[in-house]
Amino acid sequence: MKDLTLHSTRTAWGMGKTGVAIGLAMLALASCSKKTPVAVLAPPPAPVGHVYPTAVQIPAVTSRRIKFTPAQWDAYQQAFNIIGLKSALMVGALSCDQRGQYDTFMTTFQPHILAAQHVMDGYFRRMAGRAGQSREDDFVTLLANNQSISAQAQGSLFCLNNGAEFKAVLALRTPRDLDAFVSNQAPERPTTVASTASASAP
């Protein structure tokens, strides 16, 4: 009886080893039959919107005698941000054939944009007197040129990003929404609108 038990145990162990061997062989065959995986190209990055700084730096005043209250600086900063957004969207509209979106933006927010333009006009008159208009024209031209250079540096991604920017802007409904939108910073831009305004103060 003892010998029979030992024989049965050895037989079971032998069958176990055989099963393991068969399993290993099947795994080896399966691994050999697998095709080499094909590399998949990563999709292009999604448009991000806010492809430029939304806080526009206010030109420094030309005289220490010119003083502004914090509330005045906040109003000027907001106006400069609105005009900066208008300029950037115009650059995108001309570069990416997005004039329809630009026209819709201007039609929707024209009174608010015009009010911001008057505030910016007042700043340059206060800063430079009769030369204020010339200073303002130079500033607006330089702003648009810098935004164009930034667009060229982004290459084909610029139109995708600017399209995302238009989509976000055209989803806004009120002037207050637009003010909040231009108070947000572009990605990876830690500087806030408030600190930018303070840095420009005399």
Side-chain angles (χ1 to χ4, degrees), residues 17-58:
K17 289 195 293 182
T18 302
V20 172
I22 292 174
L24 291 175
M26 292 178 64
L27 287 174
L29 288 173
S31 62
C32 291
S33 64
K34 287 183 179 179
K35 296 181 179 179
T36 303
V38 179
V40 178
L41 296 178
V48 296
H50 269 338
V51 294
Y52 51 85
T54 56
V56 177
Q57 185 173 2
I58 301 177

mmCIF file of all heavy atoms in Angstrom, residues 17-58:
data_model
loop_
_atom_site.group_PDB
_atom_site.id
_atom_site.type_symbol
_atom_site.label_atom_id
_atom_site.label_comp_id
_atom_site.label_asym_id
_atom_site.label_seq_id
_atom_site.Cartn_x
_atom_site.Cartn_y
_atom_site.Cartn_z
ATOM 1 N N LYS A 17 4.628 18.213 -13.923
ATOM 2 C CA LYS A 17 5.773 18.765 -14.662
ATOM 3 C C LYS A 17 5.476 18.795 -16.141
ATOM 4 O O LYS A 17 5.843 19.725 -16.857
ATOM 5 C CB LYS A 17 7.022 17.936 -14.384
ATOM 6 C CG LYS A 17 7.559 18.107 -12.963
ATOM 7 C CD LYS A 17 8.956 17.570 -12.835
ATOM 8 C CE LYS A 17 8.955 16.055 -12.993
ATOM 9 N NZ LYS A 17 10.311 15.502 -12.826
ATOM 10 N N THR A 18 4.761 17.789 -16.622
ATOM 11 C CA THR A 18 4.404 17.752 -18.042
ATOM 12 C C THR A 18 3.473 18.900 -18.391
ATOM 13 O O THR A 18 3.618 19.563 -19.423
ATOM 14 C CB THR A 18 3.745 16.419 -18.387
ATOM 15 O OG1 THR A 18 4.635 15.360 -18.053
ATOM 16 C CG2 THR A 18 3.388 16.348 -19.864
ATOM 17 N N GLY A 19 2.495 19.162 -17.486
ATOM 18 C CA GLY A 19 1.565 20.267 -17.730
ATOM 19 C C GLY A 19 2.273 21.604 -17.767
ATOM 20 O O GLY A 19 1.999 22.460 -18.603
ATOM 21 N N VAL A 20 3.219 21.787 -16.835
ATOM 22 C CA VAL A 20 3.994 23.032 -16.813
ATOM 23 C C VAL A 20 4.799 23.193 -18.084
ATOM 24 O O VAL A 20 4.873 24.262 -18.690
ATOM 25 C CB VAL A 20 4.906 23.066 -15.577
ATOM 26 C CG1 VAL A 20 5.860 24.257 -15.653
ATOM 27 C CG2 VAL A 20 4.069 23.150 -14.308
ATOM 28 N N ALA A 21 5.415 22.082 -18.531
ATOM 29 C CA ALA A 21 6.221 22.138 -19.747
ATOM 30 C C ALA A 21 5.364 22.497 -20.953
ATOM 31 O O ALA A 21 5.758 23.292 -21.807
ATOM 32 C CB ALA A 21 6.905 20.795 -19.964
ATOM 33 N N ILE A 22 4.165 21.869 -21.027
ATOM 34 C CA ILE A 22 3.269 22.168 -22.148
ATOM 35 C C ILE A 22 2.834 23.636 -22.099
ATOM 36 O O ILE A 22 2.794 24.332 -23.119
ATOM 37 C CB ILE A 22 2.051 21.240 -22.110
ATOM 38 C CG1 ILE A 22 2.489 19.799 -22.406
ATOM 39 C CG2 ILE A 22 0.990 21.686 -23.119
ATOM 40 C CD1 ILE A 22 1.373 18.782 -22.243
ATOM 41 N N GLY A 23 2.544 24.128 -20.889
ATOM 42 C CA GLY A 23 2.118 25.532 -20.753
ATOM 43 C C GLY A 23 3.205 26.499 -21.182
ATOM 44 O O GLY A 23 2.945 27.482 -21.867
ATOM 45 N N LEU A 24 4.450 26.193 -20.789
ATOM 46 C CA LEU A 24 5.563 27.054 -21.171
ATOM 47 C C LEU A 24 5.761 27.047 -22.676
ATOM 48 O O LEU A 24 6.052 28.086 -23.292
ATOM 49 C CB LEU A 24 6.843 26.613 -20.464
ATOM 50 C CG LEU A 24 6.875 26.850 -18.941
ATOM 51 C CD1 LEU A 24 8.155 26.249 -18.354
ATOM 52 C CD2 LEU A 24 6.807 28.345 -18.627
ATOM 53 N N ALA A 25 5.608 25.870 -23.276
ATOM 54 C CA ALA A 25 5.775 25.775 -24.729
ATOM 55 C C ALA A 25 4.703 26.583 -25.449
ATOM 56 O O ALA A 25 4.959 27.266 -26.441
ATOM 57 C CB ALA A 25 5.714 24.316 -25.164
ATOM 58 N N MET A 26 3.473 26.535 -24.937
ATOM 59 C CA MET A 26 2.391 27.287 -25.568
ATOM 60 C C MET A 26 2.625 28.788 -25.437
ATOM 61 O O MET A 26 2.375 29.565 -26.364
ATOM 62 C CB MET A 26 1.055 26.906 -24.919
ATOM 63 C CG MET A 26 0.612 25.467 -25.214
ATOM 64 S SD MET A 26 -0.931 25.037 -24.376
ATOM 65 C CE MET A 26 -2.047 26.183 -25.188
ATOM 66 N N LEU A 27 3.134 29.211 -24.274
ATOM 67 C CA LEU A 27 3.440 30.638 -24.098
ATOM 68 C C LEU A 27 4.524 31.087 -25.051
ATOM 69 O O LEU A 27 4.484 32.192 -25.609
ATOM 70 C CB LEU A 27 3.865 30.919 -22.651
ATOM 71 C CG LEU A 27 2.765 30.873 -21.602
ATOM 72 C CD1 LEU A 27 3.359 31.029 -20.209
ATOM 73 C CD2 LEU A 27 1.742 31.983 -21.864
ATOM 74 N N ALA A 28 5.530 30.231 -25.234
ATOM 75 C CA ALA A 28 6.618 30.575 -26.148
ATOM 76 C C ALA A 28 6.108 30.717 -27.565
ATOM 77 O O ALA A 28 6.476 31.639 -28.297
ATOM 78 C CB ALA A 28 7.710 29.503 -26.075
ATOM 79 N N LEU A 29 5.221 29.785 -27.981
ATOM 80 C CA LEU A 29 4.661 29.862 -29.331
ATOM 81 C C LEU A 29 3.786 31.106 -29.488
ATOM 82 O O LEU A 29 3.815 31.781 -30.524
ATOM 83 C CB LEU A 29 3.821 28.610 -29.615
ATOM 84 C CG LEU A 29 4.613 27.311 -29.816
ATOM 85 C CD1 LEU A 29 3.652 26.136 -29.920
ATOM 86 C CD2 LEU A 29 5.487 27.402 -31.075
ATOM 87 N N ALA A 30 3.034 31.419 -28.451
ATOM 88 C CA ALA A 30 2.165 32.589 -28.523
ATOM 89 C C ALA A 30 2.984 33.854 -28.637
ATOM 90 O O ALA A 30 2.663 34.765 -29.390
ATOM 91 C CB ALA A 30 1.257 32.633 -27.291
ATOM 92 N N SER A 31 4.092 33.936 -27.871
ATOM 93 C CA SER A 31 4.927 35.132 -27.929
ATOM 94 C C SER A 31 5.602 35.273 -29.276
ATOM 95 O O SER A 31 5.814 36.375 -29.774
ATOM 96 C CB SER A 31 5.972 35.093 -26.805
ATOM 97 O OG SER A 31 6.833 33.976 -26.978
ATOM 98 N N CYS A 32 5.928 34.140 -29.906
ATOM 99 C CA CYS A 32 6.566 34.199 -31.220
ATOM 100 C C CYS A 32 5.565 34.633 -32.282
ATOM 101 O O CYS A 32 5.934 35.242 -33.282
ATOM 102 C CB CYS A 32 7.138 32.827 -31.587
ATOM 103 S SG CYS A 32 8.557 32.370 -30.572
ATOM 104 N N SER A 33 4.281 34.272 -32.085
ATOM 105 C CA SER A 33 3.283 34.591 -33.100
ATOM 106 C C SER A 33 2.801 36.033 -33.016
ATOM 107 O O SER A 33 2.149 36.525 -33.920
ATOM 108 C CB SER A 33 2.085 33.640 -32.960
ATOM 109 O OG SER A 33 1.452 33.840 -31.717
ATOM 110 N N LYS A 34 3.089 36.738 -31.898
ATOM 111 C CA LYS A 34 2.655 38.115 -31.755
ATOM 112 C C LYS A 34 3.432 39.024 -32.697
ATOM 113 O O LYS A 34 4.645 38.889 -32.846
ATOM 114 C CB LYS A 34 2.862 38.598 -30.307
ATOM 115 C CG LYS A 34 1.865 37.999 -29.332
ATOM 116 C CD LYS A 34 2.075 38.571 -27.951
ATOM 117 C CE LYS A 34 1.069 38.002 -26.954
ATOM 118 N NZ LYS A 34 1.283 38.547 -25.605
ATOM 119 N N LYS A 35 2.705 39.936 -33.317
ATOM 120 C CA LYS A 35 3.345 40.874 -34.220
ATOM 121 C C LYS A 35 3.998 41.996 -33.430
ATOM 122 O O LYS A 35 3.557 42.353 -32.347
ATOM 123 C CB LYS A 35 2.318 41.456 -35.186
ATOM 124 C CG LYS A 35 1.706 40.419 -36.113
ATOM 125 C CD LYS A 35 0.706 41.073 -37.059
ATOM 126 C CE LYS A 35 0.094 40.052 -38.001
ATOM 127 N NZ LYS A 35 -0.887 40.661 -38.919
ATOM 128 N N THR A 36 5.042 42.536 -33.985
ATOM 129 C CA THR A 36 5.701 43.671 -33.350
ATOM 130 C C THR A 36 4.747 44.856 -33.350
ATOM 131 O O THR A 36 4.183 45.199 -34.387
ATOM 132 C CB THR A 36 6.975 44.054 -34.124
ATOM 133 O OG1 THR A 36 7.829 42.912 -34.197
ATOM 134 C CG2 THR A 36 7.689 45.218 -33.451
ATOM 135 N N PRO A 37 4.505 45.478 -32.188
ATOM 136 C CA PRO A 37 3.552 46.595 -32.134
ATOM 137 C C PRO A 37 4.011 47.755 -33.000
ATOM 138 O O PRO A 37 5.196 48.073 -33.075
ATOM 139 C CB PRO A 37 3.543 46.978 -30.640
ATOM 140 C CG PRO A 37 4.810 46.412 -30.087
ATOM 141 C CD PRO A 37 5.101 45.189 -30.886
ATOM 142 N N VAL A 38 3.042 48.380 -33.673
ATOM 143 C CA VAL A 38 3.334 49.510 -34.543
ATOM 144 C C VAL A 38 3.298 50.793 -33.719
ATOM 145 O O VAL A 38 2.371 51.017 -32.934
ATOM 146 C CB VAL A 38 2.302 49.589 -35.692
ATOM 147 C CG1 VAL A 38 2.583 50.786 -36.583
ATOM 148 C CG2 VAL A 38 2.311 48.302 -36.487
ATOM 149 N N ALA A 39 4.299 51.625 -33.880
ATOM 150 C CA ALA A 39 4.349 52.878 -33.144
ATOM 151 C C ALA A 39 3.216 53.797 -33.607
ATOM 152 O O ALA A 39 2.970 53.942 -34.798
ATOM 153 C CB ALA A 39 5.695 53.562 -33.371
ATOM 154 N N VAL A 40 2.515 54.395 -32.633
ATOM 155 C CA VAL A 40 1.396 55.292 -32.927
ATOM 156 C C VAL A 40 1.846 56.719 -32.672
ATOM 157 O O VAL A 40 2.365 57.032 -31.599
ATOM 158 C CB VAL A 40 0.177 54.957 -32.045
ATOM 159 C CG1 VAL A 40 -0.963 55.929 -32.333
ATOM 160 C CG2 VAL A 40 -0.255 53.515 -32.273
ATOM 161 N N LEU A 41 1.659 57.570 -33.668
ATOM 162 C CA LEU A 41 2.057 58.961 -33.512
ATOM 163 C C LEU A 41 1.138 59.657 -32.518
ATOM 164 O O LEU A 41 -0.077 59.444 -32.518
ATOM 165 C CB LEU A 41 1.995 59.683 -34.866
ATOM 166 C CG LEU A 41 2.957 59.183 -35.941
ATOM 167 C CD1 LEU A 41 2.740 59.955 -37.232
ATOM 168 C CD2 LEU A 41 4.402 59.317 -35.482
ATOM 169 N N ALA A 42 1.734 60.495 -31.681
ATOM 170 C CA ALA A 42 0.945 61.230 -30.698
ATOM 171 C C ALA A 42 0.101 62.277 -31.414
ATOM 172 O O ALA A 42 0.542 62.875 -32.397
ATOM 173 C CB ALA A 42 1.877 61.910 -29.692
ATOM 174 N N PRO A 43 -1.136 62.491 -30.952
ATOM 175 C CA PRO A 43 -1.984 63.509 -31.584
ATOM 176 C C PRO A 43 -1.411 64.896 -31.337
ATOM 177 O O PRO A 43 -0.669 65.111 -30.373
ATOM 178 C CB PRO A 43 -3.330 63.329 -30.874
ATOM 179 C CG PRO A 43 -2.972 62.729 -29.551
ATOM 180 C CD PRO A 43 -1.780 61.847 -29.815
ATOM 181 N N PRO A 44 -1.728 65.851 -32.197
ATOM 182 C CA PRO A 44 -1.227 67.215 -31.978
ATOM 183 C C PRO A 44 -1.807 67.790 -30.704
ATOM 184 O O PRO A 44 -2.894 67.398 -30.270
ATOM 185 C CB PRO A 44 -1.734 67.969 -33.224
ATOM 186 C CG PRO A 44 -2.912 67.175 -33.688
ATOM 187 C CD PRO A 44 -2.579 65.740 -33.380
ATOM 188 N N PRO A 45 -1.094 68.700 -30.067
ATOM 189 C CA PRO A 45 -1.602 69.286 -28.822
ATOM 190 C C PRO A 45 -2.913 70.027 -29.063
ATOM 191 O O PRO A 45 -3.121 70.622 -30.109
ATOM 192 C CB PRO A 45 -0.480 70.260 -28.406
ATOM 193 C CG PRO A 45 0.282 70.534 -29.668
ATOM 194 C CD PRO A 45 0.188 69.276 -30.474
ATOM 195 N N ALA A 46 -3.780 69.944 -28.079
ATOM 196 C CA ALA A 46 -5.069 70.607 -28.202
ATOM 197 C C ALA A 46 -4.893 72.120 -28.125
ATOM 198 O O ALA A 46 -3.987 72.614 -27.440
ATOM 199 C CB ALA A 46 -5.998 70.139 -27.080
ATOM 200 N N PRO A 47 -5.726 72.874 -28.837
ATOM 201 C CA PRO A 47 -5.647 74.336 -28.730
ATOM 202 C C PRO A 47 -5.862 74.782 -27.293
ATOM 203 O O PRO A 47 -6.660 74.203 -26.564
ATOM 204 C CB PRO A 47 -6.791 74.802 -29.644
ATOM 205 C CG PRO A 47 -7.027 73.670 -30.590
ATOM 206 C CD PRO A 47 -6.732 72.435 -29.806
ATOM 207 N N VAL A 48 -5.143 75.810 -26.888
ATOM 208 C CA VAL A 48 -5.193 76.221 -25.495
ATOM 209 C C VAL A 48 -5.928 77.533 -25.286
ATOM 210 O O VAL A 48 -6.398 77.823 -24.199
ATOM 211 C CB VAL A 48 -3.764 76.347 -24.916
ATOM 212 C CG1 VAL A 48 -3.081 75.003 -24.918
ATOM 213 C CG2 VAL A 48 -2.928 77.360 -25.699
ATOM 214 N N GLY A 49 -6.064 78.354 -26.308
ATOM 215 C CA GLY A 49 -6.613 79.682 -26.080
ATOM 216 C C GLY A 49 -5.642 80.523 -25.263
ATOM 217 O O GLY A 49 -4.622 80.026 -24.785
ATOM 218 N N HIS A 50 -5.959 81.788 -25.071
ATOM 219 C CA HIS A 50 -5.048 82.694 -24.360
ATOM 220 C C HIS A 50 -3.604 82.438 -24.786
ATOM 221 O O HIS A 50 -2.744 82.069 -23.988
ATOM 222 C CB HIS A 50 -5.175 82.521 -22.851
ATOM 223 C CG HIS A 50 -6.199 83.435 -22.241
ATOM 224 N ND1 HIS A 50 -6.615 84.607 -22.839
ATOM 225 C CD2 HIS A 50 -6.912 83.355 -21.087
ATOM 226 C CE1 HIS A 50 -7.516 85.204 -22.072
ATOM 227 N NE2 HIS A 50 -7.738 84.452 -21.020
ATOM 228 N N VAL A 51 -3.318 82.637 -26.068
ATOM 229 C CA VAL A 51 -2.007 82.305 -26.602
ATOM 230 C C VAL A 51 -1.032 83.460 -26.455
ATOM 231 O O VAL A 51 0.074 83.421 -26.965
ATOM 232 C CB VAL A 51 -2.104 81.905 -28.094
ATOM 233 C CG1 VAL A 51 -2.873 80.609 -28.231
ATOM 234 C CG2 VAL A 51 -2.765 83.008 -28.923
ATOM 235 N N TYR A 52 -1.411 84.474 -25.719
ATOM 236 C CA TYR A 52 -0.560 85.636 -25.496
ATOM 237 C C TYR A 52 -0.902 86.177 -24.110
ATOM 238 O O TYR A 52 -1.972 85.883 -23.568
ATOM 239 C CB TYR A 52 -0.822 86.708 -26.562
ATOM 240 C CG TYR A 52 -2.274 87.019 -26.704
ATOM 241 C CD1 TYR A 52 -2.901 87.935 -25.868
ATOM 242 C CD2 TYR A 52 -3.053 86.332 -27.633
ATOM 243 C CE1 TYR A 52 -4.253 88.167 -25.952
ATOM 244 C CE2 TYR A 52 -4.408 86.567 -27.713
ATOM 245 C CZ TYR A 52 -5.000 87.482 -26.883
ATOM 246 O OH TYR A 52 -6.345 87.701 -26.958
ATOM 247 N N PRO A 53 -0.033 86.986 -23.529
ATOM 248 C CA PRO A 53 -0.365 87.561 -22.222
ATOM 249 C C PRO A 53 -1.582 88.471 -22.330
ATOM 250 O O PRO A 53 -1.655 89.323 -23.211
ATOM 251 C CB PRO A 53 0.887 88.356 -21.844
ATOM 252 C CG PRO A 53 1.977 87.783 -22.677
ATOM 253 C CD PRO A 53 1.329 87.332 -23.951
ATOM 254 N N THR A 54 -2.542 88.295 -21.445
ATOM 255 C CA THR A 54 -3.735 89.138 -21.488
ATOM 256 C C THR A 54 -3.534 90.443 -20.736
ATOM 257 O O THR A 54 -4.321 91.369 -20.898
ATOM 258 C CB THR A 54 -4.942 88.392 -20.894
ATOM 259 O OG1 THR A 54 -4.611 87.967 -19.571
ATOM 260 C CG2 THR A 54 -5.308 87.195 -21.739
ATOM 261 N N ALA A 55 -2.515 90.523 -19.895
ATOM 262 C CA ALA A 55 -2.208 91.760 -19.184
ATOM 263 C C ALA A 55 -1.234 92.566 -20.023
ATOM 264 O O ALA A 55 -0.092 92.162 -20.217
ATOM 265 C CB ALA A 55 -1.624 91.466 -17.808
ATOM 266 N N VAL A 56 -1.674 93.690 -20.542
ATOM 267 C CA VAL A 56 -0.835 94.538 -21.379
ATOM 268 C C VAL A 56 -0.126 95.563 -20.488
ATOM 269 O O VAL A 56 -0.774 96.245 -19.691
ATOM 270 C CB VAL A 56 -1.687 95.260 -22.446
ATOM 271 C CG1 VAL A 56 -0.824 96.205 -23.280
ATOM 272 C CG2 VAL A 56 -2.373 94.236 -23.337
ATOM 273 N N GLN A 57 1.172 95.653 -20.618
ATOM 274 C CA GLN A 57 1.931 96.576 -19.781
ATOM 275 C C GLN A 57 1.651 98.017 -20.200
ATOM 276 O O GLN A 57 1.806 98.387 -21.368
ATOM 277 C CB GLN A 57 3.433 96.288 -19.870
ATOM 278 C CG GLN A 57 4.257 97.145 -18.922
ATOM 279 C CD GLN A 57 5.714 96.726 -18.909
ATOM 280 O OE1 GLN A 57 6.099 95.817 -19.637
ATOM 281 N NE2 GLN A 57 6.516 97.386 -18.099
ATOM 282 N N ILE A 58 1.260 98.834 -19.248
ATOM 283 C CA ILE A 58 0.972 100.239 -19.519
ATOM 284 C C ILE A 58 2.283 101.005 -19.662
ATOM 285 O O ILE A 58 3.183 100.856 -18.831
ATOM 286 C CB ILE A 58 0.128 100.847 -18.384
ATOM 287 C CG1 ILE A 58 -1.192 100.085 -18.239
ATOM 288 C CG2 ILE A 58 -0.124 102.325 -18.627
ATOM 289 C CD1 ILE A 58 -2.046 100.574 -17.092
#
